[in-house]
Amino acid sequence: MKKLLLLIALVPMGSLMAQEQKAAAPKLYRAVPEKINNLVHTKLNASFDYSKSRLNGNVWITLKPHFYATDSLQLDAKGMDIKQVAVVKAGKNIPLKYQYDGWVLRINLDKSYTRNESYTIYIDYTAKPDELEVKGSAAITDAKGLYFINPTGEDKTKPTQIWTQGETEATSVWVPTIDKTNQKTTQEFNLTVPSKYVTLSNGKLVKQTKNANGTRTDSWKMDLPHAPYLFFMGVGEYAIIKDAYKGKEVSYYVEKAYEKVARKIFGNTPEMMQYFSNKLGVDYPWIKYSQIIGRDYVSGAMENTTATLHQESAQQDARELTDANGWEGTIAHELFHQWFGDYVTAESWSNLTVNESFADYSEYLWAEYKSGKDEAAFINWSAMNGYLNSKADASKHLVRFYYDSQEDMFDVVSYSKGGRILNMLRNYVGDDAFFKSLNKYLTDNKFGTGSAHKLRLAFEATTGKDLNWFFNQWYFNNGHPNLVISNNYDATTQKLMVVIKQTQNTGLFQLPVTIDIYHGANKKRQLVWAKNTADTFYFTASTKPDLVNVDADKILLAEKKETKTLEEYAHQFKYGGHYLDRREAIDMASKKISDAAAYSIVAAGLKDPYFRIRMKALGSFGTAKLDNATIALIEKMAKDDASKLVRADAISILGTQKNAAYASQFEQFVNDSSYSVAGAALLALNDVDSKKAYALANQLIKSPSKGRLSAAISSVIIANGDESAYDYIMGNFNKMPLSQAKFSALSSIVEFLAKVTDPAKFKAGVDAVVSFRNEIPAAARPQTDPVINNVFLKGLATKKEAAGAQALADYVKEKIKN
């Protein structure tokens, strides 16, 4: 599952509201689920009652005792009406006695079965997901497994769909099963739906049968075993775009409005399949690969075997795609799960790392191959920061056998930290050994289960190295190093001294550290091991180095404090080569931007070949007065930089110059094909001619807009207009999916509501903010609630009180309490 990081740490300003919560550690040991009976095959006949959001099912489950003989069976079955339970003998259903508490179905078998005997249980049931109250997670706002979207078609702005979300243990809301990761089963799903809809499920579509009542039954067959949480059903009106990989079907199910751009969104999938197959030495193992869009799906995406589900944010129109495919990393993430998670599945949620850390790291691998080392380094840095900035997560082990709920495992530790640990392991053993070890892990455990221990054993068998030290400190312990790095050169002895101190209180780490020592453009690399509270290393150098670059490959998962001069940073920018070498130099220079040397570092960043460094440089001048050469370069970037995102940022910088001479150019840029360029231009125009910008914004309301342009239109209208724009402003806000962008929009929404005097509209607007607040999953709300309540809503109430609208202020205060 590719979780949106907002669901882990939604608030970028979280440090302002940081809340250290030190709850007692969970006491219950989370063992690998005991296997008494093993799933063998699952055959399901399903039809759907759209009026009641129910599934009517008949399921035949074939099982075998795992080892010991047994005369009973326990199935997970949440919130169902159980109508019949029987054992199938010679084609006949023989009723069995059972007990059902609404969650677990306990069946008394007709005899004691040995491990050499299989048996088939038949169950006639109705699943009622909307009538079941279940606790959600940081990955999804609830866990009802089966979702009916606009089932009766009352909402004319939304399609009618059905989709399922099994992870973690929600498949058992819609089909009885043993809902554990260490179970594997083949399957047959026969889905009966209105004939106007298409269906998608795991495996291959083997037959379609038209029925006399206007329905059609689609038969999907999955011949290879996989875990129940990966079962999938999708139903709706979709355009299906067909592709292929080595003769296997690759298909993209999108809403019909996105049919023409589907290949621009998903079209790299076959190339990804080839690339990952080559790197892993295990060809894509399944019979087909499909990807489908689900409305109102808030989890990012889910790697159901052969049938990945994406949220609607994946559907980007042509103008969005001129900037970049913002969903490319997620597509890679879910595809990589087809190996790490589906082919070899974590034996328990405690070992989620062998699913999610690998999928997280696949985004780095794909970027490295497709976009280059700088983009991969940016992804690595972003993910590392996501973990390092989440202080509460430093206390968690990567492999956790103690947790309150399996949902707790879906955090930046399992994702971002785990992915960075894999990057360090790859750097340590080398590329060839890393991928050969992954091949062994996948081959040894195919169609079975994996764990951190099995991963370690695969690496040790391949490399011949004892890696307990690495796994003990990174997988079975918590925290990360806090490093204080310094160096000193003694001209008399011609010795360079480098000191690395570990200041964390979670125990010492054993760290292989690369150090590059520069004299001009020439560098010499040294490898040292930091193992103690303080380690001192000496190197011979005939002259003082121009730069000592510790952690030269920028792979250590650590907080680092290092003192370098501006001259050293300038040298690092020019010769370091790594994305972070340049980024760190620009960061330091931006803090001393009034210094001519610092200014020159930032200005040099404008010419960097990597677009994100150019963007970083554009955003680093602050309030510094720009010289003519810099302005001329930014003007050129605004017109014709190869990156639309860079163009947008350059336009924003020109807007801050408040130069009316740019107005006509900004007006021209508002019509650019890129939403980012157009949005930046509209805001820049507002800086120099607000009247013109407001008129343009009101014209742009009539055309589709997304992203930066949509936000700019709202901002300009809010800044210059009145509550007459209520329907547009709040309509846009209400249509936004649960996302970081929606949270970011809250500031301007609250600013707008302060202008609204109509009581009904004002209350509806406040209700929309409160509804968004309440939709945020429980795991994130300790961060988000204080900001929404104490900053946004209280601020709104204060403004209404100041305006003499006490009744409206009281309405807001009441909502804060609730």
Side-chain angles (χ1 to χ4, degrees), residues 420-439:
R420 311 298 58 81
I421 289 169
L422 289 171
N423 195 38
M424 289 189 293
L425 182 57
R426 178 187 176 192
N427 183 272
Y428 174 63
V429 302
D431 266 27
D432 189 32
F434 181 79
F435 289 106
K436 277 186 168 56
S437 298
L438 298 190
N439 174 271

Side-chain angles (χ1 to χ4, degrees), residues 139-153:
I140 195 164
T141 51
D142 55 34
K144 61 185 182 181
L146 174 63
Y147 296 78
F148 287 79
I149 307 303
N150 193 27
T152 59

Side-chain angles (χ1 to χ4, degrees), residues 664-710:
S664 61
Q665 195 171 44
F666 292 157
E667 189 174 348
Q668 177 186 347
F669 289 154
V670 168
N671 298 313
D672 193 88
S673 61
S674 162
Y675 286 133
S676 294
V677 170
L682 183 61
L683 290 178
L685 180 61
N686 193 58
D687 287 333
V688 296
D689 188 342
S690 59
K691 186 175 180 180
K692 183 67 174 179
Y694 182 58
L696 273 177
N698 280 290
Q699 292 176 23
L700 291 168
I701 286 177
K702 302 168 186 176
S703 303
S705 65
K706 289 187 176 184
R708 204 159 167 175
L709 177 58
S710 178

Side-chain angles (χ1 to χ4, degrees), residues 23-203:
K27 300 297 184 184
L28 181 62
Y29 175 76
R30 302 293 181 174
V32 175
E34 182 182 6
K35 298 178 79 170
I36 299 172
N37 288 283
N38 290 340
L39 295 173
V40 176
H41 186 69
T42 303
K43 178 182 176 181
L44 171 67
N45 291 348
S47 61
F48 305 94
D49 184 339
Y50 284 82
S51 64
K52 296 181 179 179
S53 296
R54 293 179 175 181
L55 177 153
N56 296 313
N58 306 100
V59 66
W60 292 261
I61 308 171
T62 301
L63 308 102
K64 269 188 175 183
H66 180 73
F67 185 83
Y68 301 104
T70 184
D71 61 0
S72 63
L73 170 65
Q74 183 171 298
L75 296 174
D76 299 296
K78 301 181 177 78
M80 299 176 178
D81 288 339
I82 304 295
K83 301 173 184 176
Q84 182 184 2
V85 177
V87 62
V88 181
K89 296 280 189 177
K92 295 183 179 180
N93 294 336
I94 300 173
L96 296 175
K97 293 181 179 179
Y98 64 90
Q99 301 81 43
Y100 182 53
D101 62 3
W103 294 91
V104 177
L105 180 61
R106 297 175 173 86
I107 301 171
N108 302 320
L109 300 176
D110 60 318
K111 67 167 200 163
S112 181
Y113 288 86
T114 71
R115 63 179 177 270
N116 298 317
E117 296 178 286
S118 63
Y119 60 93
T120 299
I121 298 298
Y122 167 78
I123 304 171
D124 181 5
Y125 69 97
T126 296
K128 305 180 294 183
D130 284 3
E131 299 162 58
L132 176 69
E133 290 189 9
V134 284
K135 183 181 178 182
S137 70
I140 195 164
T141 51
D142 55 34
K144 61 185 182 181
L146 174 63
Y147 296 78
F148 287 79
I149 307 303
N150 193 27
T152 59
E154 293 178 4
D155 186 344
K156 302 306 179 185
T157 67
K158 185 180 294 185
T160 296
Q161 295 176 352
I162 297 172
W163 46 262
T164 61
Q165 166 59 37
E167 195 172 39
T168 52
E169 296 175 5
T171 291
S172 49
V173 175
W174 55 274
V175 59
T177 190
I178 304 175
D179 210 351
K180 305 299 178 185
T181 64
N182 61 347
Q183 290 285 339
K184 295 287 180 94
T185 175
T186 56
Q187 71 182 65
E188 295 175 73
F189 281 6
N190 301 304
L191 310 180
T192 299
V193 299
S195 57
K196 65 180 179 178
Y197 296 139
V198 299
T199 69
L200 177 64
S201 189
N202 314 98

Side-chain angles (χ1 to χ4, degrees), residues 246-533:
K246 289 188 175 180
K248 295 181 178 182
E249 176 191 338
V250 177
S251 53
Y252 320 125
Y253 287 59
V254 298
E255 293 175 26
K256 293 181 179 179
Y258 293 88
E259 182 174 7
K260 292 182 179 179
V261 293
R263 287 187 186 275
K264 291 184 178 179
I265 300 168
F266 296 108
N268 282 335
T269 300
E271 186 180 358
M272 287 183 186
M273 296 169 78
Q274 183 69 71
Y275 171 66
F276 289 146
S277 294
N278 290 345
K279 296 298 283 186
L280 297 171
V282 176
D283 200 25
Y284 177 78
W286 310 102
I287 196 169
K288 71 106 164 51
Y289 188 57
S290 298
Q291 297 174 85
I292 189 171
I293 303 299
R295 280 291 186 102
D296 295 350
Y297 182 60
V298 302
S299 294
M302 177 64 205
E303 67 275 11
N304 312 296
T305 313
T306 77
T308 285
L309 173 66
H310 294 275
Q311 73 166 210
E312 63 202 81
S313 300
Q315 293 185 142
Q316 304 151 84
D317 64 26
R319 292 186 70 181
E320 287 177 284
L321 291 166
T322 62
D323 292 340
N325 181 0
W327 213 250
E328 183 90 350
T330 303
I331 293 168
H333 180 116
E334 302 308 328
L335 175 60
F336 210 62
H337 266 310
Q338 300 297 313
W339 287 269
F340 292 91
D342 298 6
Y343 188 58
V344 179
T345 308
E347 66 182 13
S348 69
W349 298 117
S350 294
N351 275 279
L352 183 64
T353 178
V354 296
N355 290 9
E356 293 300 348
S357 300
F358 276 103
D360 181 275
Y361 189 51
S362 74
E363 299 176 50
Y364 176 98
L365 293 173
W366 175 249
E368 183 179 50
Y369 162 78
K370 191 67 176 177
S371 303
K373 290 186 177 181
D374 278 342
E375 182 70 4
F378 167 77
I379 288 171
N380 193 67
W381 170 82
S382 298
M384 189 180 296
N385 267 16
Y387 162 72
L388 293 176
N389 290 333
S390 184
K391 300 302 182 184
D393 287 308
S395 64
K396 299 176 183 176
H397 292 204
L398 181 57
V399 178
R400 262 165 278 165
F401 293 101
Y402 295 90
Y403 51 76
D404 290 324
S405 164
Q406 65 264 19
E407 313 295 346
D408 299 339
M409 293 298 300
F410 293 80
D411 57 17
V412 291
V413 178
S414 294
Y415 287 74
S416 300
K417 182 179 184 180
R420 311 298 58 81
I421 289 169
L422 289 171
N423 195 38
M424 289 189 293
L425 182 57
R426 178 187 176 192
N427 183 272
Y428 174 63
V429 302
D431 266 27
D432 189 32
F434 181 79
F435 289 106
K436 277 186 168 56
S437 298
L438 298 190
N439 174 271
K440 181 170 179 57
Y441 169 80
L442 291 171
T443 302
D444 289 352
N445 301 294
K446 62 181 180 182
F447 302 116
T449 59
S451 67
H453 282 304
K454 290 180 180 179
L455 183 66
R456 174 182 60 83
L457 291 171
F459 270 85
E460 290 183 338
T462 300
T463 64
K465 296 177 181 289
D466 184 325
L467 291 170
N468 278 288
W469 66 271
F470 185 93
F471 279 79
N472 284 342
Q473 71 183 17
W474 290 116
Y475 281 83
F476 302 107
N477 208 337
N478 61 359
H480 54 269
N482 292 334
L483 304 180
V484 177
I485 301 164
S486 61
N487 71 81
N488 184 59
Y489 179 71
D490 188 328
T492 303
T493 61
Q494 295 188 332
K495 290 288 185 182
L496 169 69
M497 180 179 71
V498 177
V499 180
I500 302 176
K501 295 181 180 179
Q502 297 191 42
T503 62
Q504 70 278 0
N505 57 13
T506 54
L508 294 173
F509 284 76
Q510 183 174 338
L511 304 170
V513 182
T514 54
I515 302 175
D516 283 350
I517 302 170
Y518 284 82
H519 289 89
N522 297 318
K523 72 178 180 182
K524 184 175 182 180
R525 174 157 295 190
Q526 305 285 349
L527 175 64
V528 301
W529 286 81
K531 302 178 181 180
N532 304 296
T533 303

